[in-house]
Amino acid sequence: MKSSIFLLFTILIHTITFGQVYQSHHLQEDRLSIQLSEGVLNIIPLSDNAIRIQWEKNHIKENREFILINKLPVPLFKFGETSSKLKLSTRKITVLFNKKTGAIDYADNTGKIFLREIAGSRKLTPDSVLGKPCFVAEQSFDSPPDEFLFGLGQFQDGQYNLRNLPRKLIQVNTQIAIPFLYSSRGYGLLWHQYGLTMFNPADNKILLTKKDTVGGGKEDMEVTTTAGTQKVSQRQSLYTGKFTVNKDGAYSFMLDLGGMENRHLLIIDGEAVIDQSSLWLPPAVGKIVNLKAGEHSVQVVCKASNTPELSWKLTGNETTFRSPNAKSLDYVVFYGKDADDVITSYRNLSGNVPMLPLWAYGFWQCRERYTSSKQLVQTVEEFRKKKLPMDVIVQDWQYWGKYGWGVPKFDETNYPDPKKFIKQLHDLNAHLSVSVWENLDKKSEVAKPYVAKDLYIPNSPWIDIYNPEARKTHWNALNTNLFSKGVDSWWMDATEPENDALVGKQTYFGLGNFYRLTYPLFVSKAVYDGQRKTNPDKRVTILTRSAFAGQQRYGTINWSGDIGGTWDSYKRQIVAGLNYSLTGMPYWTTDIGGFFRPGPRQYKDKKYHDLLTRWFQWGTFNSIFRIHGYQSETEPWKFGDTVETNMRSMLNLRYSLLPYIYSEAWQVSSKGSTIMRPLVMDFKDDPAAIGQSYEYMFGPSFLVAPITKPDMTQWNVYLPKSIKWYDFWTGMQFAGGQMVKTAAPEDKIPLFVKAGTILPIGPQVQYAQEKKWDNLELRIYPGADGKFVFYEDQDDNYNYEKGMYTTITFRWDDKNSTLTIGDRKGSFPGMLTDRKFNIVVDTKNKGAKANAVAKQIKTVHYNGEKIRIRL
């Protein structure tokens, strides 16, 4: 009798709390539908290694699909049932649904579990927002202690491994929210929501009390901490509080300050555990802190106009997603042999990456701001005169002058005859990128068609980019005033829209809260679709400040927003970029030197020059290479001869690597690869490598270890296991699986090359297309077999989509010291039919300098037919 009562009680608890008692199931052609006591749970195989889970109830559903736009054929799958479980299997994933608990396990094709839902954690709690019904959707997954989690977009908290870290996923300046995770256990997870998402939410709130400041005074307040005295300006407020924890452990904290900030400062028991300053910081930040059992005191500093909230929880072996404005519970699990396999599967469903033009992989010269067409032309002329390679010059905001804020039109007062000056730039073999906004002045002449057709979001300065007519109208304005004049590239600024501006607004799709993260996706779509229709022979190149899942299909590059010019900010960008790269977005960059810089002293300040030089070196090995700065003249010669010389060295190195970089860009577009590669992508079986937060692979060959501290002359670099490595600068060999100390002179970044690398080295040029690649060096790093696919096309059109490109596969047989240059595959108009390869073997003590021949072995003439060379 007691056991029957207990069983009934258990069933009632599950029914009342979770509404997920299994009732029946129905196998359909494309899914397994499970009828629960509340709603239907669908298990949908999207491909051999992608499974979508959707739980819907109360007839509420999101009918719009923004991310998974590619409908692939339904993969073959098998179904089985036992008394306790339902089993659905594709070739690569097995899904196990537990009839008793309602939880799902995911296993690979050997039966090994790689991901588990935590029983009872799947929740759809009825709610509403501004009168619109919705749910709070929540799901937790098991996360063992040795798991590393990456992704979620670009954040400024400096955290590399996201396991247990709380985050608030919103779009603001310097923060990009993309709800995609990659795990060191080999799976990817897309949390398929378009609105606000809390990652690992902390629900224990701490009551904060605002302390009085010195009324009207000009003196700063002082807060004493174990890290020293902290200054609190009179434009800031100090809050205090207390809380108690019951046991020793690691606790996660979420500090949400309400609005954009310039200070993140959380002090616990007198120690600053979060401490970051910049003119722009996101509203929320998370941190994991080790605490002893007992009572603890906190202090929080924020802008006087903000109201902070602080919450905590004890960390555990779980990962949780929670979306408060959801229409269903919806996520997708991807699994593969490595990260490339996972990302390829994700892109196959959400859109593959188009090729950028060759020139986009060169150097982008940018500053805030050039004030005339004459200044733009003269700057490019000076680059050419000083033999400083560059391909793109960028016009920042306010070129619109008399036409009104954000209006995409050159004010002829300072930019007379746009077609003429842009042609001058083109004649100098430079390309022009122009800043454009989506909040153009409603009173302007250019905005009249928008206003007439009611294309602005009501009570907002932002156009309703969700409306197809708004996208068409917007492109027409850009085309008429800029693209038709010769503009080559788009700098889409503030595409969040700026600072989370959709909350509480009505859009073409409905209440903005439901689509809070997606605005940048549709801005990119408007420009990409518009330009491709207008001129299908010119590749779309968009630099934009924000992004959402799937945006990689629109020819976009992201940058990390208006960041500070400090060592701390620089370090955070490295981590931010690596996590961003694991969300399927391959093109990313920063404001080299920081957006907010130290004013006029920057041009002579040797300490700042150290930071700028190291940042520039790292920027050389970003997927896109770009400098920028607020109210700054960022040209290399502005900082003196030493900085200019060091920058020239890096520019020359970047341009010599263009054959390598462009070939890897083809791997991104054709194979789903990624150029900036956190070490988990290539060395998943080396825990020490996975944990390196400031090292990464640049393509398959280069290990990059940027200097992140001032005044360094030596640097420790971890070399991953199971392979030999070469110091790029000296040619010295090292075994993997060890930390090595390497020289770090001011003109060089620590750089290692993997054994087995076949590296094409291009000519020294001043712009990407200056010289043909008809006389390339092939540098071979022996010690392992190797392969490299060399790619060429017409550099700046979409004919490659029609098969107009060539590839040459190089193979290195290490045992027999033999290089095979394969038959050329494919063709395109204007391709090289004959060329020379200068084959160089880099061995110990023979690779003295970058771009210098280590030891020339042989020059071969190649006409497209296979050659084998014994070296």
Side-chain angles (χ1 to χ4, degrees):
M1 181 66 180
K2 287 183 179 180
S3 61
S4 299
I5 293 173
F6 178 78
L7 178 60
L8 178 61
F9 176 76
T10 301
I11 292 173
L12 285 173
I13 287 295
H14 275 280
T15 303
I16 294 169
T17 307
F18 308 120
Q20 294 182 63
V21 175
Y22 167 78
Q23 293 183 337
S24 63
H25 67 269
H26 175 52
L27 186 63
Q28 301 182 55
E29 186 176 306
D30 67 340
R31 68 190 61 197
L32 172 63
S33 293
I34 303 171
Q35 183 65 54
L36 303 176
S37 52
E38 290 186 17
V40 176
L41 182 74
N42 288 304
I43 300 175
I44 308 168
L46 301 177
S47 68
D48 285 337
N49 61 344
I51 302 291
R52 187 173 189 174
I53 304 299
Q54 289 181 309
W55 181 29
E56 299 168 354
K57 67 178 187 177
N58 297 355
H59 306 291
I60 300 174
K61 182 179 181 179
E62 176 57 71
N63 293 313
R64 296 182 177 90
E65 179 55 68
F66 297 162
I67 304 172
L68 307 175
I69 61 166
N70 292 339
K71 303 303 179 185
L72 304 182
V74 177
L76 294 175
F77 63 90
K78 298 177 181 178
F79 174 73
E81 180 182 9
T82 67
S83 59
S84 62
K85 291 185 179 180
L86 304 177
K87 178 179 178 181
L88 183 150
S89 298
T90 68
R91 288 196 310 117
K92 296 185 178 180
I93 299 181
T94 294
V95 184
L96 300 165
F97 174 83
N98 188 308
K99 292 180 181 179
K100 182 178 180 180
T101 66
I104 297 174
D105 291 349
Y106 299 88
D108 63 19
N109 55 13
T110 70
K112 180 181 178 181
I113 301 291
F114 61 82
L115 178 65
R116 296 179 190 270
E117 290 184 346
I118 293 177
S121 68
R122 187 190 307 125
K123 300 174 186 177
L124 278 177
T125 306
D127 202 353
S128 65
V129 54
L130 295 179
K132 302 293 183 181
C134 64
F135 297 102
V136 179
E138 181 172 332
Q139 180 72 66
S140 297
F141 302 90
D142 178 62
S143 179
D146 62 349
E147 182 173 35
F148 281 71
L149 292 172
F150 307 95
L152 293 187
Q154 168 200 282
F155 284 73
Q156 296 298 322
D157 54 28
Q159 301 299 308
Y160 185 57
N161 182 5
L162 309 183
R163 183 178 180 271
N164 278 322
L165 185 76
R167 277 185 170 172
K168 182 180 182 180
L169 273 62
I170 57 170
Q171 311 285 30
V172 291
N173 189 348
T174 76
Q175 178 173 299
I176 301 172
I178 300 174
F180 184 91
L181 274 183
Y182 178 73
S183 166
S184 60
R185 303 180 77 192
Y187 68 85
L189 196 154
L190 172 68
W191 181 250
H192 196 278
Q193 296 288 344
Y194 304 148
L196 167 67
T197 290
M198 304 302 294
F199 180 71
N200 292 329
D203 292 329
N204 300 297
K205 294 190 181 297
I206 298 173
L207 178 64
L208 296 176
T209 302
K210 188 175 182 179
K211 292 296 186 181
D212 290 335
T213 56
V214 181
K218 295 183 179 180
E219 295 182 0
D220 290 347
M221 293 176 62
E222 292 186 350
V223 177
T224 302
T225 79
T226 56
T229 299
Q230 301 279 336
K231 294 283 188 178
V232 180
S233 79
Q234 294 304 297
R235 293 185 299 275
Q236 297 173 319
S237 293
L238 172 66
Y239 290 77
T240 63
K242 294 183 181 296
F243 69 103
T244 301
V245 298
N246 294 324
K247 64 178 181 177
D248 298 355
Y251 290 82
S252 61
F253 285 82
M254 169 57 74
L255 175 61
D256 189 342
L257 301 167
M260 289 295 287
E261 264 293 340
N262 53 31
R263 185 80 181 274
H264 288 163
L265 181 58
L266 170 62
I267 299 166
I268 299 179
D269 299 332
E271 181 178 355
V273 296
I274 300 175
D275 191 358
Q276 183 186 9
S277 296
S278 184
L279 289 181
W280 286 111
L281 288 172
V285 61
K287 187 67 180 289
I288 298 172
V289 182
N290 291 315
L291 296 175
K292 296 288 187 181
E295 186 179 72
H296 300 272
S297 63
V298 298
Q299 296 171 300
V300 172
V301 172
C302 67
K303 288 195 301 187
S305 58
N306 281 337
T307 302
E309 293 183 357
L310 181 63
S311 56
W312 62 272
K313 74 170 183 177
L314 179 66
T315 62
N317 296 328
E318 66 180 28
T319 295
T320 301
F321 288 88
R322 180 190 294 162
S323 295
N325 303 140
K327 297 183 181 181
S328 65
L329 189 147
D330 191 348
Y331 70 88
V332 184
V333 173
F334 303 86
Y335 187 73
K337 64 182 185 300
D338 53 31
D340 286 324
D341 202 17
V342 167
I343 289 174
T344 297
S345 178
Y346 166 63
R347 289 188 192 150
N348 285 342
L349 289 163
S350 62
N352 289 313
V353 180
M355 287 289 288
L356 299 177
L358 176 61
W359 52 261
Y361 302 98
F363 180 62
W364 295 52
Q365 171 58 34
C366 186
R367 79 185 205 194
E368 196 280 319
R369 62 186 177 89
Y370 293 107
T371 58
S372 69
S373 57
K374 182 179 179 181
Q375 195 176 44
L376 286 165
V377 172
Q378 288 178 340
T379 299
V380 177
E381 289 175 338
E382 194 68 11
F383 267 86
R384 300 292 180 241
K385 178 182 176 182
K386 290 180 173 292
K387 301 295 182 185
L388 291 161
M390 63 91 71
D391 268 275
V392 187
I393 192 161
V394 183
Q395 174 62 59
D396 202 349
W397 61 355
Q398 299 189 46
Y399 59 86
W400 44 72
K402 65 186 179 186
Y403 291 114
W405 168 260
V407 174
K409 187 173 182 178
F410 287 108
D411 183 343
E412 294 84 359
T413 305
N414 294 311
Y415 301 86
D417 197 348
K419 272 191 176 181
K420 181 179 178 180
F421 90 76
I422 294 173
K423 183 179 184 301
Q424 288 177 285
L425 294 175
H426 291 167
D427 289 344
L428 290 165
N429 299 292
H431 298 81
L432 178 64
S433 184
V434 176
S435 171
V436 292
W437 296 59
E438 283 65 56
N439 61 342
L440 59 163
D441 187 350
K442 294 180 183 179
K443 298 178 181 179
S444 68
E445 187 71 23
V446 172
K448 283 185 176 180
Y450 299 81
V451 175
K453 291 181 278 190
D454 198 23
L455 299 179
Y456 282 84
I457 295 172
N459 302 311
S460 169
W462 300 94
I463 63 174
D464 192 345
I465 204 70
Y466 299 119
N467 188 329
E469 186 62 31
R471 296 197 292 274
K472 179 181 176 182
T473 302
H474 196 46
W475 169 251
N476 286 341
L478 298 181
N479 182 36
T480 300
N481 298 301
L482 298 174
F483 190 63
S484 66
K485 311 297 184 186
V487 166
D488 301 287
S489 166
W490 308 101
W491 182 6
M492 314 297 293
D493 210 341
T495 50
E496 296 86 2
E498 193 160 54
N499 301 332
D500 202 22
L502 293 182
V503 177
K505 303 295 184 183
Q506 287 294 329
T507 75
Y508 179 81
F509 287 154
L511 185 62
N513 300 58
F514 293 118
Y515 307 103
R516 194 168 171 178
L517 304 184
T518 63
Y519 194 91
L521 177 70
F522 284 87
V523 175
S524 300
K525 175 179 171 59
V527 175
Y528 183 82
D529 289 350
Q531 183 180 316
R532 285 211 64 167
K533 184 176 180 180
T534 301
N535 183 355
D537 293 327
K538 186 177 182 64
R539 293 181 194 170
V540 182
T541 306
I542 299 170
L543 177 69
T544 179
R545 199 171 76 184
S546 194
F548 187 64
Q551 191 165 305
Q552 74 280 350
R553 61 184 179 253
Y554 295 132
T556 56
I557 305 157
N558 279 91
W559 96 99
S560 59
D562 298 343
I563 52 174
T566 65
W567 284 98
D568 179 60
S569 179
Y570 161 53
K571 289 175 64 176
R572 292 170 189 267
Q573 304 321 303
I574 299 171
V575 174
L578 294 181
N579 270 303
Y580 185 76
S581 296
L582 277 170
T583 62
M585 303 286 186
Y587 295 122
W588 181 87
T589 186
T590 69
D591 293 353
I592 291 175
F595 181 66
F596 296 113
R597 296 173 169 222
R601 71 176 175 85
Q602 67 182 288
Y603 306 110
K604 295 187 181 298
D605 185 339
K606 299 301 182 185
K607 291 185 177 180
Y608 179 72
H609 291 179
D610 186 17
L611 169 63
L612 178 62
T613 298
R614 295 305 191 187
W615 204 324
F616 198 87
Q617 290 168 358
W618 172 59
T620 305
F621 291 92
N622 283 192
S623 49
I624 301 298
F625 187 15
R626 170 185 165 273
I627 198 169
H628 189 46
Y630 177 63
Q631 295 184 348
S632 297
E633 298 178 352
T634 61
E635 296 78 17
W637 56 88
K638 301 294 184 179
F639 301 91
D641 291 342
T642 299
V643 173
E644 180 184 339
T645 297
N646 291 339
M647 286 185 172
R648 182 181 289 104
S649 174
M650 288 294 105
L651 287 165
N652 285 335
L653 175 57
R654 173 75 176 203
Y655 276 79
S656 74
L657 294 177
L658 282 181
Y660 170 80
I661 294 169
Y662 198 59
S663 296
E664 288 309 308
W666 171 244
Q667 296 299 314
V668 170
S669 292
S670 64
K671 303 295 184 183
S673 186
T674 298
I675 294 178
M676 292 180 69
R677 306 175 61 81
L679 296 186
V680 70
M681 298 188 77
D682 297 294
F683 305 100
K684 59 185 177 67
D685 297 323
D686 183 349
I690 292 173
Q692 298 299 319
S693 54
Y694 301 110
E695 293 182 18
Y696 62 99
M697 296 297 291
F698 185 71
S701 299
F702 285 101
L703 177 70
V704 183
I707 303 294
T708 59
K709 295 180 180 178
D711 304 319
M712 291 291 106
T713 58
Q714 290 184 313
W715 197 246
N716 291 325
V717 179
Y718 179 76
L719 302 178
K721 291 179 181 177
S722 303
I723 205 161
K724 293 181 181 178
W725 297 90
Y726 290 81
D727 186 317
F728 178 75
W729 305 106
T730 67
M732 292 288 292
Q733 284 187 44
F734 298 88
Q738 63 170 327
M739 189 75 73
V740 299
K741 188 178 291 292
T742 186
E746 66 175 1
D747 63 336
K748 291 181 175 62
I749 182 173
L751 193 61
F752 289 80
V753 184
K754 187 172 66 174
T757 288
I758 305 166
L759 181 64
I761 301 288
Q764 186 169 315
V765 294
Q766 297 306 301
Y767 55 93
Q769 294 167 288
E770 182 182 7
K771 297 177 183 178
K772 293 183 179 295
W773 294 345
D774 57 354
N775 192 7
L776 295 181
E777 176 184 323
L778 285 184
R779 193 178 296 183
I780 298 168
Y781 292 83
D785 292 342
K787 175 185 175 183
F788 184 80
V789 179
F790 176 62
Y791 172 84
E792 291 178 294
D793 61 18
Q794 292 174 292
D795 299 341
D796 193 2
N797 60 38
Y798 290 100
N799 286 341
Y800 71 88
E801 293 180 344
K802 305 171 186 176
M804 296 184 191
Y805 62 87
T806 62
T807 59
I808 303 170
T809 300
F810 304 103
R811 297 182 187 274
W812 172 250
D813 181 336
D814 196 61
K815 181 178 179 181
N816 296 306
S817 297
T818 300
L819 175 69
T820 301
I821 305 176
D823 292 325
R824 182 177 57 235
K825 304 293 185 182
S827 66
F828 61 87
M831 72 179 189
L832 287 170
T833 56
D834 294 281
R835 68 197 332 148
K836 291 180 181 178
F837 290 120
N838 301 302
I839 303 167
V840 171
V841 176
D842 208 328
T843 57
K844 186 176 181 179
N845 295 324
K846 292 181 180 177
K849 295 182 179 179
N851 306 322
V853 174
K855 181 179 179 182
Q856 185 162 318
I857 302 297
K858 187 173 290 187
T859 297
V860 298
H861 294 264
Y862 178 76
N863 63 6
E865 296 183 355
K866 182 176 179 179
I867 302 174
R868 294 188 67 197
I869 306 106
R870 181 72 179 266
L871 300 171

